[in-house]
Amino acid sequence: MSTILIIDDSSFQRTLIRKTLTNEQFTCIEADNGRLGLEMAERESPDAIIVDLLMPDLNGIEFLQAIQEKGITIPVIVLTSDIQDATRDLCLKLGARSFLNKPLRPDDLIPAIRKVLEPSGDI
Amino acid sequence: MEIAPQDLDGIRELVNIGVGKGAGILSEMTGSTIELTIPEVSIYTPDEFGQLASQIGTERYSAISLDFRGAFSGMAYSIIPADSAHILIDAITGEEPSDNGAERPFTSIHAETLKEIGNILINGVMGSITNVLKSQLTYSLPSYCEADIPSLIQKVGQEHREAILLAETHMFIRNLNIEGKILMIMGSASFEILVERMREISRDSEA
Amino acid sequence: MIQQANLSIIANFSDALPVGICIIDREMTIIFWNRTLAGWSGRSGEEMIGLNLLDLYPDLNTHAFRTRIHSVLDGGPPAVFSSQLHKTFIPCTQSDGTLRVQQTSVIGYPGGDPDHPCAMIIIEDVTELDREIRSVRRMKDQALLEVQERKRAEEALEKLNVKLNLLSSVTRHDILNKIMVIDGFLGFAEEMATDPTQAEYLAHVRAAAMVIQNILVFNRQYEQLGIEEPTWFAIDSLIEAIDTEERLPIRLACDGISIYCDPMLEKVFYNLYDNALRHAEGATRIEITCQPSSSGLRIVWEDDGTGVPEDEKEEIFKRGFGKNTGMGLFLVREILAITGITITETGEEGKGARFEISVPEGAYRIGNPA
């Protein structure tokens, strides 16, 4: 079963994501800031990462840059309240595989996760 | 009622989602990217807020009010200090920003523009709260006024003036700092319903 | 069915309203179009119902518009669209070819089927208001421009004034130095002069030099006029400050009265006193009285000397008049005029001089000395 790393400073939001994912039999691990998320990504090697953008201590953009620099190829889905096209373009340019907006919609998140987990979806 | 850190976290996230949506629309209207920060959220009783208000001072703000009724009822304000309001107006109308923003008077033209800006922000936040909590509310049409924060609170009927939720956000547009506050004033019963609804969602999630 | 019934109720009252009303469903399909909107757009309700709003008005088909309308359809708060940011919501051309300026509110439509949310678009015509606002704004911009220009002109004048004052003060200083030189050498020349004609010529030179000196002294005083802000002065303190040396006693009856005047006011009383000493032959006293009247305060300064001849009563206030510098009373009138105070001579020749100083309301106070 795939393990998903959820990085979001809001425990409320992490809970909503975790519920959505565990309903679909995914295993979840969590971090409440980008720095801890980066450590867990390296240490736990999850199958996919869901990351928020606005966070203290390494924000989502910095997280994307950091995993790119470290050569980590785990697929990343950005889930943010920022709906600006410019933000979406920047995230995709920094290697995010999918860009979703909050509030979380299970009908958007689950297909996005499944897509990045497909073997052909891996870079 | 006792407010736990998780409750504040949930409210902050809902405000964050709402402000993000509002900022997205403002970004499209200004043609500029808006940088967002994490909102700060705090909850007060009227007495506590009285103390805070004395620290905030009697600065006059542009405020857009929205009365809401339903599962929880009260008044929401989107509040913009004068200098931030001028930056926003200049950005949206495409005028060159001037140095003495705070000293420029507001005209009826500005009031109309600010009403729409405030409407966008407050709708983002109210929309985010009602969407996630799956609550149906009815609303008044938004209205515009200029006042200090204590006066804004006084405008709300006594029975709806028991819990005050203050969210402070900063947006940066072309590197200019725009400060905005969202103020939700509710009766304690309404506020409990809001918090309880949020806890339920978290509990459902835990199940 | 309920929806149809509700729509017909809306049609009944909305056709009587001076606002445009349109109802759309979730797909932005028009389900209602009132008579006012039909009049503005030239498109009837029958023609519009069933058509898609975004197809008809592609300007509305932006992400920002769609998002905001969708949040209303999702049960969110009303959305307002200011005429200042969006000239029109549904473009409607008027007979003169210009577009109707619109202020729009989009609210959830409560009369519809709860499973099929709809939104009501309410459009107010604010063309006239917009025109007025624009005209007021133009007037304000013009006024601001004029104020800025005037400010610039004032600043330029101020700079020029500073330069002129500097030039005048330097020149005055240099001339006064030269007069001192003249004075010194005149003294030597006068001592050496044995010829009476020569002595008489030298006396003329001295007199002319003294006139030049007096003019320069006056010039310095006049330059100070109006430089400092007017303020309140107690009359009795100013009069007491005059050193009479018991030559001509002053009787004063103006207890506790203050007047608002240029700080050179002390020169006014000093000059009046000096004037009496020089010209009021046979005078034994000066009397000063203050009388509040309906138009203000009247200060009367009178002596019992020879008085001023009828045909000189105005002349004495002109620059250059008189036997001394010809500046004293001219300066007196100028100082007083700064705060609207006037002075005239109203005495009777042979009985003494009488100066009437009229202080307007607001420029004097009693019992509250500054």
Side-chain angles (χ1 to χ4, degrees):
Chain A
M1 192 32 55
S2 306
T3 299
I4 315 293
L5 168 61
I6 306 167
I7 313 171
D8 197 308
D9 59 323
S10 163
S11 67
F12 179 77
Q13 191 63 247
R14 288 199 309 273
T15 310
L16 298 190
I17 301 170
R18 185 173 66 237
K19 184 212 170 188
T20 307
L21 295 180
T22 47
N23 278 351
E24 299 292 325
Q25 316 306 317
F26 289 106
T27 306
C28 297
I29 51 174
E30 297 176 27
D32 66 1
N33 66 61
R35 189 162 307 283
L36 181 61
L38 188 62
E39 279 170 29
M40 288 176 75
E42 285 182 293
R43 196 173 61 226
E44 313 281 339
S45 296
D47 298 295
I49 300 170
I50 296 172
V51 68
D52 181 24
L53 289 187
L54 272 185
M55 285 185 298
D57 210 2
L58 206 72
N59 66 33
I61 297 291
E62 290 162 341
F63 175 84
L64 287 171
Q65 284 165 339
I67 61 162
Q68 212 173 35
E69 279 163 21
K70 286 176 182 286
I72 298 171
T73 55
I74 304 166
V76 180
I77 294 171
V78 172
L79 178 62
T80 175
S81 59
D82 189 339
I83 64 168
Q84 297 175 86
D85 287 344
T87 311
R88 167 191 294 269
D89 295 345
L90 178 62
C91 291
L92 297 179
K93 202 172 135 200
L94 289 172
R97 296 281 294 277
S98 182
F99 182 93
L100 302 175
N101 283 127
K102 293 178 184 176
L104 162 74
R105 286 176 207 84
D107 293 349
D108 292 340
L109 182 66
I110 298 302
I113 292 268
R114 293 205 194 288
K115 185 152 193 285
V116 299
L117 290 175
E118 281 168 14
S120 58
D122 286 340
I123 293 169
Chain B
M1 89 183 289
E2 279 293 305
I3 300 296
Q6 297 97 293
D7 300 327
L8 271 184
D9 171 89
I11 293 172
R12 185 173 53 237
E13 183 64 5
L14 297 183
V15 170
N16 183 24
I17 295 171
V19 170
K21 194 166 180 181
I25 295 169
L26 289 179
S27 149
E28 201 173 320
M29 285 167 77
T30 56
S32 305
T33 306
I34 294 179
E35 209 180 304
L36 296 165
T37 59
I38 305 168
E40 286 167 37
V41 174
S42 32
I43 289 160
Y44 304 91
T45 63
D47 286 347
E48 290 168 341
F49 200 87
Q51 290 163 14
L52 183 81
S54 62
Q55 290 164 24
I56 293 178
T58 50
E59 187 186 345
R60 282 175 78 77
Y61 290 91
S62 290
I64 290 82
S65 63
L66 184 75
D67 182 280
F68 55 92
R69 297 284 140 117
F72 42 91
S73 304
M75 179 82 93
Y77 286 107
S78 163
I79 298 171
I80 309 170
D83 44 358
S84 294
H86 283 300
I87 295 171
L88 267 173
I89 291 172
D90 290 342
I92 289 180
T93 54
E95 280 173 30
E96 278 298 307
S98 72
D99 302 335
N100 56 344
E103 288 164 21
R104 282 158 56 194
F106 287 113
T107 63
S108 55
I109 303 170
H110 294 139
E112 277 304 316
T113 307
L114 287 171
K115 189 164 143 185
E116 179 161 343
I117 294 170
N119 177 242
I120 289 169
L121 290 174
I122 210 162
N123 284 14
V125 173
M126 290 308 290
S128 141
I129 292 175
T130 51
N131 266 347
V132 173
L133 304 186
K134 308 223 173 350
S135 312
Q136 196 69 42
L137 303 179
T138 55
Y139 302 94
S140 67
L141 275 169
S143 64
Y144 174 86
C145 71
E146 281 163 34
D148 56 36
I149 291 184
S151 312
L152 292 175
I153 295 171
Q154 287 301 317
K155 281 185 183 197
V156 181
Q158 187 81 47
E159 73 279 17
H160 294 307
R161 214 197 302 154
E162 290 163 334
I164 296 159
L165 191 159
L166 174 70
E168 296 177 86
T169 74
H170 289 270
M171 296 189 276
F172 292 86
I173 185 161
R174 296 173 202 151
N175 289 327
L176 297 170
N177 181 5
I178 297 165
E179 187 193 330
K181 297 181 202 298
I182 301 283
L183 198 60
M184 278 178 76
I185 304 164
M186 284 176 277
S188 51
S190 284
F191 184 64
E192 277 174 31
I193 291 169
L194 171 76
V195 174
E196 201 43 58
R197 189 80 198 89
M198 222 163 47
R199 287 178 185 170
E200 269 170 36
I201 289 177
S202 295
R203 270 200 300 274
D204 287 352
S205 308
E206 300 288 5
Chain C
M1 279 310 284
I2 297 170
Q3 182 136 323
Q4 281 308 315
N6 284 335
L7 283 177
S8 95
I9 294 169
I10 286 179
N12 281 340
F13 77 79
S14 83
D15 281 349
L17 295 177
V19 293
I21 294 180
C22 161
I23 298 175
I24 51 170
D25 67 12
R26 206 175 165 77
E27 280 68 47
M28 308 262 179
T29 305
I30 298 168
I31 59 170
F32 179 76
W33 188 262
N34 84 334
R35 193 182 293 168
T36 306
L37 208 43
W40 290 349
S41 65
R43 292 167 160 182
S44 71
E46 291 77 18
E47 197 183 327
M48 297 300 274
I49 288 168
L51 299 181
N52 188 283
L53 190 72
L54 301 188
D55 293 344
L56 288 166
Y57 301 104
D59 284 352
L60 295 178
N61 200 3
T62 65
H63 179 258
F65 267 110
R66 280 197 318 267
T67 308
R68 295 181 65 194
I69 295 173
H70 272 133
S71 3
V72 175
L73 286 161
D74 287 339
V80 291
F81 296 86
S82 153
S83 62
Q84 299 305 318
L85 298 182
H86 325 270
K87 277 275 148 263
T88 61
F89 192 85
I90 290 181
C92 299
T93 311
Q94 303 179 103
S95 52
D96 63 359
T98 60
L99 283 174
R100 216 174 267 278
V101 182
Q102 299 169 343
Q103 191 137 290
T104 306
S105 307
V106 181
I107 62 172
Y109 168 59
D113 179 348
D115 295 332
H116 296 95
C118 295
M120 186 187 276
I121 301 167
I122 303 166
I123 304 170
E124 287 172 76
D125 180 349
V126 291
T127 311
E128 209 40 55
L129 182 70
D130 182 73
R131 193 173 300 153
E132 276 171 32
I133 287 174
R134 260 155 227 294
S135 131
V136 169
R137 181 149 67 169
R138 267 197 301 275
M139 276 161 59
K140 197 189 97 191
D141 288 349
Q142 181 65 32
L144 277 176
L145 204 68
E146 281 169 17
V147 167
Q148 278 170 357
E149 274 171 16
R150 198 153 75 186
K151 208 169 161 191
R152 274 199 291 274
E154 275 172 11
E155 281 167 5
L157 265 179
E158 211 166 291
K159 275 187 194 155
L160 191 63
N161 209 17
V162 168
K163 275 189 192 167
L164 279 174
N165 280 346
L166 186 67
L167 177 69
S168 139
S169 126
V170 168
T171 311
R172 202 166 47 227
H173 180 262
D174 290 352
I175 298 176
L176 282 171
N177 276 347
K178 296 299 171 200
I179 285 178
M180 278 175 65
V181 175
I182 291 174
D183 184 47
F185 282 102
L186 261 180
F188 297 144
E190 279 164 349
E191 277 173 21
M192 289 163 67
T194 46
D195 177 6
T197 313
Q198 202 178 16
E200 190 196 332
Y201 289 169
L202 285 174
H204 282 305
V205 173
R206 174 171 293 283
M210 287 309 107
V211 170
I212 294 173
Q213 189 175 26
N214 283 336
I215 289 172
L216 292 175
V217 170
F218 168 80
N219 184 280
R220 181 163 56 203
Q221 289 178 350
Y222 193 74
E223 210 173 71
Q224 293 305 311
L225 203 59
I227 285 193
E228 282 180 49
E229 285 291 303
T231 184
W232 290 94
F233 293 94
I235 294 179
D236 42 15
S237 332
L238 287 177
I239 300 297
E240 277 163 21
I242 299 174
D243 185 7
T244 63
E245 295 171 357
E246 296 181 359
R247 287 170 294 181
L248 196 53
I250 300 177
R251 287 217 298 262
L252 172 71
C254 293
D255 276 357
I257 293 183
S258 305
I259 62 173
Y260 186 69
C261 193
D262 186 275
M264 285 177 81
L265 178 63
E266 60 175 307
K267 291 229 171 342
V268 168
F269 293 120
Y270 176 79
N271 270 316
L272 287 175
Y273 189 76
D274 186 58
N275 197 60
L277 284 183
R278 286 180 195 277
H279 308 297
E281 283 169 30
T284 60
R285 59 170 174 79
I286 287 170
E287 258 189 41
I288 307 169
T289 52
C290 290
Q291 300 148 4
S293 72
S294 57
S295 58
L297 177 77
R298 191 169 56 191
I299 304 169
V300 178
W301 171 296
E302 49 191 338
D303 63 48
D304 57 352
T306 48
V308 180
E310 199 58 39
D311 57 347
E312 289 181 4
K313 288 190 183 304
E314 259 310 299
E315 296 298 304
I316 52 173
F317 293 104
K318 290 189 178 158
R319 190 169 159 252
F321 180 86
K323 298 161 192 157
N324 189 32
T325 62
M327 299 298 177
L329 289 175
F330 169 74
L331 188 64
V332 163
R333 190 173 255 188
E334 291 281 306
I335 293 169
L336 294 173
I338 287 182
T339 49
I341 303 171
T342 57
I343 180 165
T344 48
E345 206 289 324
T346 59
E348 199 179 316
E349 192 180 358
K351 289 190 176 176
R354 176 187 158 92
F355 291 97
E356 272 191 36
I357 300 170
S358 301
V359 185
E361 279 298 337
Y364 78 94
R365 58 192 184 195
I366 301 172
N368 186 18

